[in-house]
Amino acid sequence: MITFRREKSSLSFKAEVLSNTPLNAEHLLLTVKPIAVETINAVAAEATEVKGSMTPAKATSLKGPVAPPEPGQFYMLRVGPFPEPLLKRPLCFFRLGDNGSIEFLYRIRGKGTRLLSEIRPGAEIDVLGPLGRKYPRPPKGKTPLVVAGGTGLASVYPLIQSLGGRAVVFYGSSCGEEILFKSELEQMSAELHLATDDGSCGLKGTVLDMLRDYKLTADHFVYICGPEVMTSSVAKAVKETGAKGCASLEAHMACGVGACMGCVVMTTKGYKRVCREGPVFKLEELVFA
Amino acid sequence: MDLSVNIGPMKLKNPVLTASGTFGYGEEYAEHYDLSLLGGVMMKGISARPREGNPPPRIYETPSGMLNAIGLQNVGLKKFLKEKLPFIRQYETACIANVLGETPAEYVKLARALDEAGVDGIELNVSCPNVKKGGVAFASDMKGMARLVKKVRAEVKHAALIVKLSPNVTDIRVPARLCEEEGADAISLINTITGMAIDAETRAPVLANITGGLSGPAIKPVALRMVWEVYHTVKIPIIGMGGISNGIDAVEFMLAGASAVAVGTANFVTPDAAPRVVEGIKEYMKAHGINNVSELTGALRMPGA
């Protein structure tokens, strides 16, 4: 049985796809269940003991624990057989499902997510994670205010969940069809403010329009995840009020663990790795073009 | 079963290294497995002073490969000696420093300091395609490269002196021969192949640096051919790399003439790719009744031979 455990847990595991369900034209909900942990240290030890026979270069243990994910962290998922595509794809942790399963909310955007959307229940995929920094807890006395744009909801959803009804949530998307998990969000949030570009759900406009009409003060602690233009404009508006907060960024990644230096973003302290120092960064650290 | 190999004065417990620039300074991967399983770690290239690297986007996935233009973002010599070298020294694995200077004098300074600090190998980076000074500029300046190897050779007393060659040349045998003549202990090849990606919708280059270095399985045939050519040109050992993802890939490089191999982009694909390559080589040796891994070097069977 695979269990979640923080100490001596493995970041590499095989998972069975339990479901991969379309939610609308572009978004899917993927549920995977860790089924086997792979540890090369154990493999090497075994291989030296066995003599004269072929030893598997790859052995799996069904007993090892996998690390528990925190809101804001992400996983790297293999979406097709090596070497096409070559690299795993980063997907943020959405929420835990039943029986130790992990859920991901994603949008089909390119080759990788298209391949992922074609994976059927029962398939086994390689997973690496959880990786990266989690969202910090709101400082004492501050009201958590969450701003999500489009698929950015996936990253802040478990944060809202973990805030136990305290979060003031602003969530915007292109149309009502694209507003996901509305009833869950209504239940989990202190306040839920919705906006759509076409006005088919909530206010006609953007999250920034809603925020401008809202009394955002330095007593709020703001969490942002969404498209880059939204993140930078919201971050700017937040900074003007004197409020502090953080934003989760996305980037194309190769390794996901901090080795390749491919996913960097400019900060006040130079280039930082989205996979390692992020994906959650303090707003005051970020430098927007 | 004997997996050990010698690269000049450097003894490796097994022939599997991790390629420079794909493994940081080992710290990230030490969270995934015991680095002592490796023959050695070729550290991220270091320069005299810290380098910020190129602006993003820095990477782009291609069919069976990837382009990168990191631009040698690194901590610089001082921090390397103070923090990174002691870290890797906790493990029973060889440490090979990769150095990049903006001038020959900088290369010399770096090599001397690292040799004195006791690294096992010094890999001269005369082939990075993503920096303006040093690096791949030497691919079109063979005389300059030869002079550089000679100068550095005079300073390196203990470590194995390795020169990492660029594949972006007409004839790889020319720089290989020069390296041997100037006293290099070994040659490592190949660095990445210069490439480019374009977004047709925006009509813009994908990478901020415009061009980048291609790596991964896509370049393996080119790397194998170059290792084979160099093996038949020089007597010094070759560290082969370019798209090695499993034990069989590694064996192929050894058959072509490599004495050791390095796992690069595969580290990004699977964090423990390198120790899996070690296990894969062992499997092949068992299956083929090979006791000493160095028997594989250059053991290619040529048709009609």
Side-chain angles (χ1 to χ4, degrees), chain A residues 84 87-89 261 276, chain B residues 28 31 58 61 64 269:
Chain A
E84 270 307 312
L87 304 168
K88 290 192 176 90
R89 292 299 190 271
M261 315 299 282
R276 194 85 185 182
Chain B
E28 290 83 10
E31 293 172 7
R58 291 176 168 186
E61 189 182 58
S64 299
V269 178

Side-chain angles (χ1 to χ4, degrees), chain A residues 54-110:
Chain A
M54 288 277 284
T55 38
K58 204 157 137 176
T60 54
S61 146
L62 286 164
K63 287 179 188 150
V66 296
E70 298 276 0
Q73 290 190 298
F74 70 96
Y75 288 84
M76 299 290 287
L77 280 75
R78 173 147 282 290
V79 299
F82 177 84
E84 270 307 312
L86 182 67
L87 304 168
K88 290 192 176 90
R89 292 299 190 271
L91 284 186
C92 66
F93 163 59
F94 177 58
R95 65 182 182 191
L96 291 175
D98 297 332
N99 301 318
S101 63
I102 304 165
E103 296 185 343
F104 299 94
L105 166 64
Y106 67 99
R107 179 164 77 95
I108 300 174
R109 279 179 64 179

Side-chain angles (χ1 to χ4, degrees), chain B residues 188-200:
Chain B
S188 56
L189 75 167
I190 59 175
N191 206 320
T192 54
I193 300 174
T194 313
M196 184 174 181
I198 291 171
D199 183 336

